[in-house]
Structure formats: structure tokens, C-alpha cells
Amino acid sequence: MKHAMKNKLTEKAPDFDVKELPPEEKEKVLGYMRSVEYNCVGGRIFDCKTRKRLKEEVLGFEKDGYIWTTADIYHFEKYDAELDEGFYNIVMGA
């Protein structure tokens, strides 16, 4: 499995690359990421920039050979965290 984000986001590694997408592409990516049913539940979600705890549970998703979490969705939506190029291509082709 590959990670859907270019940089894996963790509380201990809060830096990530940013790539702003056109609004219609961003909405397509968010729709794709949110349309998949979660397959695991984990610990807390932190905002990597502010270190603020957001939620007590993290949901994990997997589709087309890629994995991501609700934390990844949050950071993509709020900060334009850059996606893995292969994942982006799959979503745009869907």
C-alpha cells in the first residue's frame, strides 16, 4: 500500500508540502476520499500546524492500492497538503 499524501502526516512530523488545486479538482478529491467506507479506527487527530487536538478517533481508508486517514482529509482540505502524484492521477481518472 502507498500513502495517498506526498508526506505522511504525524504529530511528530508536522511539516508537509502544499499544493493548491483548482476548486473543482479539490472537491473531486475530497468527494473521492470521503466516499470510501473506513476499514480501521485509531487514536487522535491533531492539527499538524497548530498542534491542537481535533478528535479522539482517526478513521483509516484504503482503495486502489492507497491508504489515508481522516487526518489526511483534514490537512488536505484545510491546508492543501500535497497528494501523492499516483493517488491524484487515480482520483482525476475516476
Side-chain angles (χ1 to χ4, degrees), residues 8-85:
K8 187 174 180 187
L9 307 173
T10 68
E11 182 184 3
K12 294 179 181 175
D15 295 327
F16 51 85
D17 293 332
V18 172
K19 183 175 182 182
E20 191 171 340
L21 297 177
E24 62 278 359
E25 290 182 18
K26 188 170 185 172
E27 285 305 312
K28 184 170 184 170
V29 171
L30 287 170
Y32 180 93
M33 293 176 95
R34 291 175 175 153
S35 71
V36 177
E37 189 163 329
Y38 71 91
N39 60 5
C40 64
V41 178
R44 302 176 185 136
I45 295 179
F46 286 85
D47 182 309
C48 289
K49 294 278 188 193
T50 66
R51 303 243 187 224
K52 178 182 172 192
R53 185 172 34 175
L54 302 171
K55 293 185 177 184
E56 288 299 321
E57 68 180 17
V58 176
L59 303 179
F61 307 90
E62 179 237 327
K63 185 174 180 181
D64 296 325
Y66 284 88
I67 58 172
W68 64 93
T69 67
T70 45
D72 297 322
I73 295 170
Y74 170 84
H75 287 89
F76 172 72
E77 183 173 29
K78 183 165 178 128
Y79 297 115
D80 295 312
E82 189 171 358
L83 301 169
D84 175 86
E85 186 176 348

